[in-house]
Amino acid sequence: MTGLSAERPSEVVLAARVARQFYLEGISKVGIADRLGISRFRVARLLDSARETGMVRIEIGLRGGSLDAGLSAELCSAFGLRHAFVFNFPDDDEPALRRRLGEGAGQALMDIITPSDVLGMSWSRTLSGLAAALTQMPPCPIVQLTGAVPPPDGRDLLDLVRGVARIGGGPAHVFYAPMILADAQTAAAVRRQADIAGAFALVPSVTMAVVAIGSWAPGLSTIYDGITPAERDALAGLGVCAELAGVFIGEDGRPVATPLDSRMIVTPGPALDRIPFVLSVAYGVSKSPAVFAAIRGDMVHGLVTHASLARALLSLADGRGGRR
Amino acid sequence: MTGLSAERPSEVVLAARVARQFYLEGISKVGIADRLGISRFRVARLLDSARETGMVRIEIGLRGGSLDAGLSAELCSAFGLRHAFVFNFPDDDEPALRRRLGEGAGQALMDIITPSDVLGMSWSRTLSGLAAALTQMPPCPIVQLTGAVPPPDGRDLLDLVRGVARIGGGPAHVFYAPMILADAQTAAAVRRQADIAGAFALVPSVTMAVVAIGSWAPGLSTIYDGITPAERDALAGLGVCAELAGVFIGEDGRPVATPLDSRMIVTPGPALDRIPFVLSVAYGVSKSPAVFAAIRGDMVHGLVTHASLARALLSLADGRGGRR
DNA sequence: GAGCTGTCCGCTCATTTGAGCGCATAGATC
DNA sequence: GATCTATGCGCTCAAATGAGCGGACAGCTC
């Protein structure tokens, strides 16, 4: 299309008049055509030109509050996520970022959960603050998805599960077991415990899970930081790239079986994969490959994060062929 | 309408997704509804909310070049003008502003004139540079509308009329007479001259005129500056507020008969009023009341000006009840 | 529980809109 | 001058859209 040239100032002005009336005053093209004495087709073509030449600028922007709706929407489109929540939190203060993201995840959870859901919970430092932000919840059953990891501040996974359940008034299915045991036999024995078996029996009915995404690198994963260097390297050698709810995944985002699995009390990868909606939480630009993998492998369907990680993900997707 | 609350982050993000797809990607509401699995009505309501809450910002902006299409369009709407051309020229250098506005008027004239038009011309310092900017014109007849005023640089109305006619190749109807004569008898005698009577006989067939708007104040009108203080005051006492092509108008924009009229060689006010399209040129914020009057009285149907006068006019219209 | 109120949702129908077509005019090429 | 191409314009028909309606449901009051 030829568009508006500087040679025809009256055409340019006419386009601006049409655009004002159409976009700003909300008049229909037929109405504009009648007022200006031109055909509705000309109105439509002028509007096209005005948009093409950049005379009309349309921006989908942030709104009050910390939620960046535009970035969130971009994430959804770029990765096919069902939900994304990108918050404008500064990166510099990590504990504060964790706390606020935990609250954000709580907001998101309250918003998207329905009374018919069965909620699975896992733990991370970010998620431990989630319950505090909840103000209303339907009385869904809450299922503990993994064994516990000793938290620095004493607020462990059982507290989280119970805290969430308390708000809604639904049943909490918790059990006492560590996430990693010394050997496979012990782990197998632990799994036979009634409360653990009971909780795990509920996993297939879980419709929504909340998980944190860890990256297989120092300081970016509770598990990585909690095992021996030899174990770390062994898993890295198997292609482990990230971890969520104790499930290891590779660069392609698919679960990777590891020697550690038999010693762990976690929802197995395939079972996690079958949960209809997994809401993930992650922060830090350095985790972008891990999050990218989890999304690519369809392990997670929702993401709560902050702006800089969101942008890092989008540039990864651009470079490596996201689904845009 | 309730709109999007911060309590429903997923709703906000959904609205942003819908807005992105609708405005940025150009997908139809039905298409968006299908993709997102919601009804097209919900899509429409989300878009309404997004616009209402300011999440979607639509701006009709300037484009390359000096023409401010947005302001031009606003002037058209606010005053019911058929054409407006607002240029982004700085106010500080008056001779440069005059020159550029003259060129702008030339651009505008080239753009809006048609081969079937008959063009009437009057003179002002701004208009004297108009012909230089013309690159193409239809061969319209050009009619001199008023007697001449001695210009500082020697480029008078006859030069202008002939210059414009030369570009298009149409006939130039000029005559030799000053704009103001010493007494009514002389003026009447002059009007009987064949060339003058001939030109004036063409006035009823003129379809488009180009005029400058002068304000009835020192330095803002060629005529004001060229008569005696007593005459100035007499006209001011009659309510003269502005002047265009030698026609005096009052605050209401209607022609005012004055004792000077009988001594002047100009197209009479009623005749000027009957010209279907009068393109006016004006600059300087101090002229805004004069321009406002001319527009209000329907004496002019188009305006070439610069941004600050345009803004002054708009604020006048706001304050005094424009036709917005 | 009955009744009330406000909100959200999707339907119908009339209007608006877009895609594609053919006509008319302007300018280029021979 | 004849022909050809490009461009702008408005038409038709099918699809998209908006206004307004009534039903479903949640929260309240009595």
Side-chain angles (χ1 to χ4, degrees):
Chain A
M1 202 167 293
T2 40
L4 301 166
S5 86
E7 312 300 313
R8 296 221 150 285
S10 66
E11 196 81 355
V12 175
V13 173
L14 187 62
R17 296 179 66 181
V18 167
R20 281 196 80 77
Q21 300 194 51
F22 186 75
Y23 285 113
L24 267 27
E25 302 174 36
I27 305 165
S28 78
K29 301 186 190 190
V30 175
I32 297 169
D34 289 347
R35 288 165 170 236
L36 297 183
I38 59 183
S39 78
R40 71 180 182 86
F41 304 97
R42 202 148 134 64
V43 171
R45 286 176 184 131
L46 283 167
L47 281 171
D48 287 344
S49 305
R51 239 176 298 122
E52 270 172 28
T53 57
M55 197 164 74
V56 174
R57 289 186 306 282
I58 297 168
E59 287 168 33
I60 316 294
L62 328 181
R63 290 180 354 95
S66 47
L67 181 68
D68 185 330
L71 259 180
S72 307
E74 264 192 273
L75 276 191
C76 286
S77 308
F79 297 104
L81 291 170
R82 286 241 298 283
H83 286 286
F85 303 90
V86 178
F87 292 95
N88 275 306
F89 296 147
D91 293 31
D92 43 17
D93 183 350
E94 201 176 300
L97 176 58
R98 260 203 303 271
R99 181 170 39 74
R100 297 164 97 178
L101 272 185
E103 291 166 5
Q107 295 276 339
L109 179 61
M110 279 194 290
D111 191 24
I112 61 181
I113 200 166
T114 69
S116 57
D117 277 313
V118 176
L119 182 61
M121 293 290 310
S122 65
W123 187 86
S124 80
R125 284 180 299 174
T126 308
L127 294 179
S128 72
L130 184 149
L134 296 181
T135 54
Q136 51 179 1
M137 278 280 288
C140 307
I142 324 276
V143 182
Q144 176 176 342
L145 292 181
T146 75
V149 176
D153 61 358
R155 297 189 303 166
D156 64 15
L157 177 54
L158 282 79
D159 291 322
L160 177 59
V161 171
R162 289 190 188 114
V164 175
R166 194 182 328 113
I167 306 293
H173 300 275
V174 298
F175 55 84
Y176 294 91
M179 185 183 253
I180 306 187
L181 293 158
D183 57 77
Q185 282 80 4
T186 315
V190 166
R191 281 194 208 98
R192 283 191 293 271
Q193 299 289 310
D195 48 356
I196 298 175
F200 277 24
L202 288 172
V203 168
S205 67
V206 167
T207 58
M208 182 176 295
V210 180
V211 305
I213 297 177
S215 195
W216 203 241
L220 300 177
S221 157
T222 312
I223 299 176
Y224 186 99
D225 296 337
I227 59 178
T228 68
E231 289 167 334
R232 291 169 189 165
D233 295 349
L235 265 64
L238 288 168
V240 167
C241 156
E243 153 267 316
L244 54 161
V247 171
F248 304 104
I249 61 174
E251 260 211 17
D252 60 356
R254 302 309 305 161
V256 173
T258 75
L260 223 52
D261 296 355
S262 59
R263 290 168 43 203
M264 294 178 71
I265 307 293
V266 301
T267 300
L272 185 65
D273 197 22
R274 255 178 254 120
I275 295 178
F277 185 81
V278 176
L279 180 65
S280 63
V281 183
Y283 66 88
V285 173
S286 50
K287 269 189 185 166
S288 58
V291 178
F292 188 76
I295 293 172
R296 186 155 59 165
D298 270 328
M299 295 301 293
V300 305
H301 318 101
L303 176 62
V304 176
T305 190
H306 57 132
S308 51
L309 177 50
R311 291 209 182 83
L313 282 170
L314 287 172
S315 57
L316 266 185
D318 271 348
R320 285 156 65 171
R323 303 186 205 167
R324 280 189 193 249
Chain B
M1 201 167 293
T2 41
L4 302 167
S5 87
E7 312 300 313
R8 296 222 150 284
S10 66
E11 196 81 354
V12 175
V13 173
L14 187 62
R17 296 180 65 182
V18 167
R20 281 196 79 78
Q21 300 194 55
F22 186 75
Y23 285 113
L24 268 27
E25 303 176 36
I27 305 165
S28 78
K29 301 185 189 187
V30 175
I32 297 169
D34 290 347
R35 288 166 170 233
L36 296 183
I38 59 183
S39 78
R40 70 181 182 87
F41 305 98
R42 202 147 132 66
V43 171
R45 285 175 185 133
L46 283 167
L47 281 172
D48 288 343
S49 305
R51 237 175 302 121
E52 270 174 28
T53 57
M55 197 165 73
V56 175
R57 288 186 308 282
I58 297 169
E59 287 170 32
I60 316 293
L62 328 182
R63 289 182 355 97
S66 46
L67 182 69
D68 187 328
L71 259 180
S72 306
E74 263 192 272
L75 276 192
C76 285
S77 308
F79 297 105
L81 292 170
R82 285 241 298 282
H83 287 286
F85 303 89
V86 178
F87 293 94
N88 275 306
F89 296 146
D91 293 30
D92 42 19
D93 183 352
E94 202 177 300
L97 175 58
R98 259 203 303 270
R99 183 170 37 75
R100 298 164 98 177
L101 272 185
E103 291 165 7
Q107 296 275 337
L109 179 61
M110 279 194 291
D111 192 23
I112 61 181
I113 200 166
T114 68
S116 58
D117 276 315
V118 176
L119 182 62
M121 293 291 310
S122 64
W123 187 86
S124 81
R125 283 180 300 174
T126 308
L127 294 180
S128 72
L130 183 149
L134 297 182
T135 54
Q136 52 179 1
M137 277 282 288
C140 307
I142 324 277
V143 182
Q144 177 176 343
L145 292 180
T146 74
V149 178
D153 61 359
R155 297 188 303 164
D156 63 16
L157 176 53
L158 281 79
D159 290 324
L160 176 60
V161 172
R162 288 190 189 115
V164 174
R166 193 181 329 114
I167 306 292
H173 299 276
V174 298
F175 56 83
Y176 293 91
M179 186 183 252
I180 307 186
L181 292 158
D183 58 76
Q185 282 80 3
T186 314
V190 166
R191 280 194 210 99
R192 282 191 293 270
Q193 301 289 311
D195 49 354
I196 299 175
F200 278 24
L202 289 171
V203 168
S205 65
V206 167
T207 58
M208 180 176 296
V210 180
V211 306
I213 298 176
S215 195
W216 204 241
L220 299 178
S221 157
T222 312
I223 300 176
Y224 187 98
D225 294 338
I227 59 178
T228 68
E231 289 166 336
R232 290 171 189 163
D233 295 349
L235 265 64
L238 289 168
V240 168
C241 156
E243 154 267 317
L244 53 161
V247 171
F248 305 103
I249 61 175
E251 261 211 15
D252 59 356
R254 302 309 305 161
V256 173
T258 76
L260 224 50
D261 297 354
S262 60
R263 290 168 43 203
M264 293 179 71
I265 307 294
V266 300
T267 300
L272 185 66
D273 197 22
R274 257 177 253 122
I275 295 178
F277 184 82
V278 176
L279 180 64
S280 63
V281 183
Y283 66 89
V285 173
S286 50
K287 270 191 185 162
S288 59
V291 178
F292 188 77
I295 294 172
R296 185 155 59 166
D298 269 328
M299 295 302 291
V300 304
H301 318 101
L303 177 63
V304 176
T305 190
H306 57 132
S308 52
L309 177 50
R311 291 209 182 82
L313 282 170
L314 287 172
S315 59
L316 265 186
D318 271 348
R320 286 155 65 170
R323 304 190 204 163
R324 284 187 190 250

